[in-house]
Amino acid sequence: MGEANTILELSHVSKTFGSTKALSDVSLAVRSGEILCLLGDNGAGKSTLIKILSGYHTPSAGRMFFEGRETRFSGPRSARLQGIATVHQDVGSIPFMSIGRNFFLGAELTRGIGPLRWIDTRASNAKALEQIRRFGITRINDGNQLVGTMSGGERQVLAIGRAMYFGAKVLILDEPTSALGVKEAAIVLKLMKQARSEGVAIVFITHNARHAMAVGDRFTVLIHGQVAAAFKRGEKSREEVLNLMAGGEQMSELEADLENID
Ligand SMILES: Nc1ncnc2c1ncn2[C@@H]1O[C@H](COP(=O)(O)OP(=O)(O)O)[C@@H](O)[C@H]1O
Ligand SMILES: [Mg+2]
């Protein structure tokens, strides 16, 4: 077992799909109040790994520990109920739903009793707006506004803010900044730091080394389903990280990627 603040841990986990070995012998620890960056190229196994952490997949081999106890989530709902919130790349997949309704989806604020209960739209809208304002989105002032009218960054903030509001202990973010412009990415990165300061454990999946290095405390690089490197903030330079991610091959492409960022 890892250090005292380890909340979620994988020990020698593998996952196979038919003849494809998506993950081989992966060990890692997610700690409260830290941002763990999961880096890797397309096909490296990042999504498979987060699907294991969030209960969508069970490992083919290896063990998983949550809050110090060996666990096996029966599904995403079970992981969610224990405080593991996952924000997928396609957030805002319900564009025709209001912001207030989306925020409380599955946990509606109601008024009245028993069969006479109804959703308290006014309270839901007010609370949702209060939360996204707290996290830096001030442009929106009507909770009835549809999610589809929000920008990509605002949707990320809505989804992350929602998870924090409902007390997530572990926040798994799949490429939250990859489709965003510089300003919006900065808002999302800042929100991740805020969640960290509130003691949340964050798994930040990205292929953007600059975003990772701006906020990360620890880094795990996946190549072909294996942990190619694991290190702490300050232990490697950006060049070394890029080299690791590229496996020494596609350096120029990744460098070009970086030049486009700011
Ligand atoms: N449900 C699945 N069935 C079969 N193969 C899969 C499945 N999910 C992922 N894979 C394979 O596992 C490997 C890792 O994929 P993935 O975890 O999606 O990588 P990443 O998210 O890093 O791009 C790929 O070769 C992919 O084709
Ligand atoms: Mg993926």
Side-chain angles (χ1 to χ4, degrees):
M1 286 299 301
E3 294 162 35
N5 58 345
T6 296
I7 180 163
L8 189 55
E9 185 172 6
L10 296 183
S11 177
H12 304 288
V13 162
S14 298
K15 180 69 183 177
T16 50
F17 298 104
S19 58
T20 305
K21 194 145 204 186
L23 293 175
S24 303
D25 197 29
V26 170
S27 296
L28 57 80
V30 184
R31 297 169 175 85
S32 300
E34 277 194 6
I35 297 175
L36 170 67
C37 298
L38 198 58
L39 297 155
D41 231 329
N42 276 336
K46 304 183 297 296
S47 292
T48 303
L49 185 51
I50 67 167
K51 282 174 185 164
I52 286 175
L53 294 176
S54 59
Y56 283 88
H57 288 325
T58 48
S60 308
R63 305 164 77 189
M64 175 151 64
F65 300 85
F66 181 63
E67 295 185 321
R69 282 181 302 274
E70 182 154 11
T71 186
R72 206 156 261 256
F73 299 125
S74 56
R77 188 181 146 77
S78 146
R80 205 164 51 236
L81 288 175
Q82 293 183 67
I84 299 173
T86 308
V87 178
H88 296 283
Q89 254 175 304
D90 58 347
V91 287
S93 52
I94 324 180
F96 300 114
M97 184 176 275
S98 77
I99 292 168
R101 185 97 165 77
N102 179 276
F103 193 88
F104 287 99
L105 202 59
E108 282 78 9
L109 293 181
T110 55
R111 297 186 65 178
I113 300 164
L116 296 177
R117 286 199 315 171
W118 64 94
I119 292 174
D120 191 340
T121 306
R122 230 166 52 152
S124 305
N125 286 348
K127 190 49 103 180
L129 283 186
E130 180 192 312
Q131 290 304 304
I132 59 174
R133 274 175 190 280
R134 181 159 94 85
F135 299 133
I137 305 292
T138 51
R139 187 181 72 85
I140 289 159
N141 43 37
D142 179 2
N144 280 317
Q145 198 175 315
L146 301 181
V147 171
T149 65
M150 298 177 99
S151 69
E154 288 165 348
R155 290 182 201 194
Q156 284 288 340
V157 169
L158 179 67
I160 297 170
R162 174 180 198 283
M164 288 169 71
Y165 178 79
F166 286 105
K169 296 174 181 172
V170 180
L171 197 48
I172 299 173
L173 308 174
D174 193 5
E175 300 272 3
T177 58
S178 66
L180 307 182
V182 176
K183 265 193 183 158
E184 291 216 299
I187 291 177
V188 172
L189 292 170
K190 189 168 159 234
L191 179 50
M192 288 167 55
K193 289 188 188 175
Q194 188 172 340
R196 168 174 63 192
S197 73
E198 293 177 17
V200 178
I202 298 159
V203 183
F204 175 22
I205 292 90
T206 182
H207 59 261
N208 186 315
R210 177 167 296 188
H211 290 175
M213 294 184 89
V215 298
D217 298 296
R218 292 180 198 257
F219 305 81
T220 292
V221 180
L222 280 184
I223 297 180
H224 301 314
Q226 288 180 299
V227 175
F231 52 94
K232 283 192 216 172
R233 179 181 197 83
E235 287 179 352
K236 291 205 191 297
S237 70
R238 193 158 63 90
E239 282 69 34
E240 288 174 298
V241 174
L242 286 170
N243 266 323
L244 275 168
M245 283 174 69
E249 285 161 28
Q250 298 144 317
M251 183 75 177
S252 56
E253 198 180 307
L254 283 161
E255 283 288 21
D257 240 23
L258 277 177
E259 297 319 313
N260 294 329
I261 289 161
D262 60 13

